[in-house]
């Protein structure tokens, strides 16, 4: 049984194939509208979500399948004390594939070990968020045309932001990737990420706390929210929350071809005045999340033995 716990669960070649499938779906979604007819996706969300849960559900509905699930721990039997292990054994009787979000790191891994259906990690604590990474990779691939030779500024909460952790793991497999880590001292990238991922891969990176010093020479600026729910102390959160605000004045220092990305939700870190700038692609990025999740559902169901009938790739679908 193939699951998705981390972006590294797919090889670079498998990722390229998945992104090409997602782009083919984007070109003409109607051709895929019955590919998963008769299949069911369960979304088990123990933590709040708008994009991830609803884009998974939209993805399965777009493929002609059905959805079931719960949107909070309180509305499931977790509120009565049921374990994730027991819940997934039951969900395996009801659905063909499951996406799970949980505040505890490793919860989706535990679920995958008891499941008899493919399990997708839809975010586990401050650890990983692999389907956000697939979304980010598809956005970059589609809008830049390549995933190599990019200088990427990661800005905000680099300590608790799981989207950043997953994105770093995914991007360091491509040649010519450089990072500028932009964060306050207290929210710097965890040292284990440097020691276990960046240093062994000989990835060039620099650290600064000043967005103004880094913004002028980036291919991508990846903004993140300060993760209030992961702070132990409200005072610390209030001190950090407005450390970075990307506004028109700061964006004026950036290159014309730089992309501004954000996994969303946004709080204050990007001023709404930036939304109409052609470089601001974060809402488009959220849209790509549906196509890549459609591709992922198809691939994992196929790997689990489902006999899905896929259309021929449309014209112009050859790999970049
Ligand atoms: N990007 C993201 O994970 O958003 P949600 O928390 O709304 O799912």
């Amino acid at each position: 049984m193939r699951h998705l716990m981390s972006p590294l669960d797919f090889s670079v070649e498998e990722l390229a194939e998945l992104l090409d499938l997602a782009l083919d779906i984007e070109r003409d979604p109607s051709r895929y509208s019955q590919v998963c007819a008769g299949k069911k996706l369960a979304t088990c969300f123990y933590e709040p979500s708008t994009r991830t849960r609803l884009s998974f559900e939209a993805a399965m509905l777009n493929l002609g399948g059905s959805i079931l699930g719960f949107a909070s721990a309180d509305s499931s039997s977790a509120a009565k004390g049921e374990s994730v292990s027991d819940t997934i054994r039951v969900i395996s009787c009801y659905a063909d594939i499951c996406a799970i979000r949980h505040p505890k790191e490793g919860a989706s891994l535990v679920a995958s070990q008891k499941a008899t259906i493919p399990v997708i990690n839809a975010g586990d604590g401050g650890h990983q968020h692999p389907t956000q990474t697939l979304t980010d990779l598809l956005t970059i691939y589609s809008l830049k045309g390549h995933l190599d030779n990019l200088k990427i500024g990661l800005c905000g909460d680099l300590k608790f932001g799981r989207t950043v952790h997953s994105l770093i793991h995914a991007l360091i497999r491509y040649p010519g990737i450089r990072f500028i880590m932009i964060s306050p001292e207290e929210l710097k990238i965890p040292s284990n990420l440097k020691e276990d991922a960046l240093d062994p891969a000989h990835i060039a990176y620099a650290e600064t706390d000043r967005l103004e010093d880094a913004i002028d020479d980036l291919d991508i600026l990846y903004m993140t929210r300060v993760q209030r729910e992961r702070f132990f102390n409200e005072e610390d959160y209030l001190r950090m929350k407005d450390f970075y605000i990307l506004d028109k004045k700061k964006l004026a220092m950036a290159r014309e071809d730089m992309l501004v990305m954000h996994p969303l939700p946004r709080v204050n870190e990007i001023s709404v005045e930036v939304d109409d700038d052609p470089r601001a692609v974060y809402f488009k990025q959220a849209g790509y999340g549906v196509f890549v999740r459609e591709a992922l559902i198809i691939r994992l169901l196929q790997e689990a033995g489902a006999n899905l009938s896929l259309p021929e790739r449309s014209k112009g679908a050859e790999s970049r």
Side-chain angles (χ1 to χ4, degrees), residues 218-235:
L218 297 175
D219 296 299
I220 292 163
L221 174 61
Y222 193 95
M223 297 294 296
T224 62
R225 168 181 71 92
V226 176
Q227 306 272 305
R228 181 179 205 156
E229 63 276 30
R230 316 254 178 254
F231 275 75
F232 292 114
N233 171 335
E234 180 74 359
E235 269 176 35

Side-chain angles (χ1 to χ4, degrees), residues 40-47 49-61 66-73 75-76 87-88 91 94-102 117-118 120 122 293 297:
K40 294 193 273 297
L41 165 78
T43 51
C44 300
F45 276 57
Y46 296 81
E47 214 186 34
S49 168
T50 297
R51 271 146 299 277
T52 311
R53 186 172 66 83
L54 298 183
S55 63
F56 261 116
E57 295 184 356
M60 192 48 147
L61 294 171
S66 310
I67 54 171
L68 64 159
F70 53 87
S72 70
S75 62
S76 78
T87 300
I88 194 67
I91 296 289
Y94 302 158
D96 301 286
I97 186 166
C98 177
I100 177 168
R101 171 173 285 190
H102 200 284
I117 57 174
I120 300 166
R293 289 181 175 98
I297 290 167

